[in-house]
């Protein structure tokens, strides 16, 4: 199992003031932050990032949502990162998410669901590279 995943604190959660709470949940769950930034996606960037969903009926809305305000992509590291992070955030629809998960606590609904998480090791690699150059992914002095 890979040790990398990409998280994004999405525009609804940034707007709602939950950056700090969400980062706190992530680090308390044992993930190390390898890179992080606040950025404002262009329409072209959001379309490219969510290209796998381009045939889905919600693709247009998803692109509008992800370009509606700044978001915070975060490159994370941990054993079993993809699965453990998805467990921490909960189901796509907060109505179906387990108690205590990020989405249960901070998502508004199935569309405005507070956070992104990679769905496979392969996509984690691609998604981290989408947001961060190699120079931005720094080795930690204390590791
Ligand atoms: P996840 O983010 O849990 O991996 P998906 O990859 O299936 O979920 O979907 C990507 C994102 O698209 C979701 O996080 C959510 O913001 C949005 N989305 C998913 N399903 C719907 C839907 N039925 N209607 C509107 N937006 C949706
Ligand atoms: Mg997904």
């Amino acid at each position: 199992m890979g040790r990398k995943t990409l998280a994004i604190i999405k525009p609804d959660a940034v707007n709602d003031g939950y950056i700090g709470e969400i980062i706190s949940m992530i680090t308390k769950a044992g993930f190390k932050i390898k890179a992080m930034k606040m950025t404002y996606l262009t329409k072209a960037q959001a379309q490219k990032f969510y290209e796998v969903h381009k045939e889905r009926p919600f693709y247009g809305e998803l692109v509008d949502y992800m370009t509606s305000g700044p978001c915070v992509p975060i490159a994370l590291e941990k054993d079993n990162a993809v699965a453990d992070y998805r467990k921490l955030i909960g189901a796509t629809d907060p109505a179906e998410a387990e108690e205590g998960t990020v989405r249960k606590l901070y998502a508004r609904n199935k569309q405005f669901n507070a956070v992104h998480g990679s769905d496979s090791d392969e996509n984690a690699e691609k998604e981290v590279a989408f947001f961060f150059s190699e120079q931005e992914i720094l080795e930690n002095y204390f590791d």
Side-chain angles (χ1 to χ4, degrees):
M1 275 295 159
R3 287 179 47 79
K4 284 185 193 172
T5 194
L6 182 87
I8 306 176
I9 304 175
K10 292 178 173 182
D12 56 323
V14 172
N15 182 259
D16 293 344
Y18 295 138
I19 294 175
E21 281 87 344
I22 293 171
I23 291 173
S24 175
M25 286 180 75
I26 289 171
T27 53
K28 281 179 182 153
F31 293 87
K32 286 223 160 177
I33 295 174
K34 302 297 288 186
M36 176 166 72
K37 66 175 100 176
M38 183 145 81
T39 185
Y40 206 137
L41 293 179
T42 64
K43 191 168 178 174
Q45 284 174 315
Q47 285 170 333
K48 184 154 196 302
F49 185 79
Y50 280 112
E51 210 163 29
V52 290
H53 293 315
K54 69 170 179 285
E55 305 304 334
R56 303 270 203 109
F58 58 81
Y59 180 64
E61 278 173 63
L62 177 57
V63 169
D64 288 347
Y65 162 40
M66 292 303 292
T67 57
S68 65
C71 65
V72 179
I74 312 171
L76 296 174
E77 197 170 87
K78 184 184 182 297
D79 285 343
N80 201 29
V82 166
D84 284 1
Y85 176 77
R86 289 194 70 96
K87 193 164 169 52
L88 177 72
I89 65 176
T92 305
D93 184 344
E96 290 162 18
E98 278 185 49
E99 290 300 326
T101 58
V102 175
R103 282 168 166 167
K104 187 70 173 187
L105 289 164
Y106 302 119
R108 298 181 186 189
N109 55 47
K110 189 172 186 179
Q111 179 182 19
F112 302 131
N113 63 356
V115 282
H116 168 81
S118 307
D119 62 7
S120 66
D121 290 344
E122 189 191 346
N123 285 335
E125 294 273 350
K126 283 187 200 161
E127 291 178 359
V128 168
F130 182 90
F131 283 106
F132 301 104
S133 68
E134 257 173 61
Q135 295 99 300
E136 287 175 305
I137 303 168
L138 301 176
E139 290 309 312
N140 291 313
Y141 181 81
F142 290 102
D143 280 352

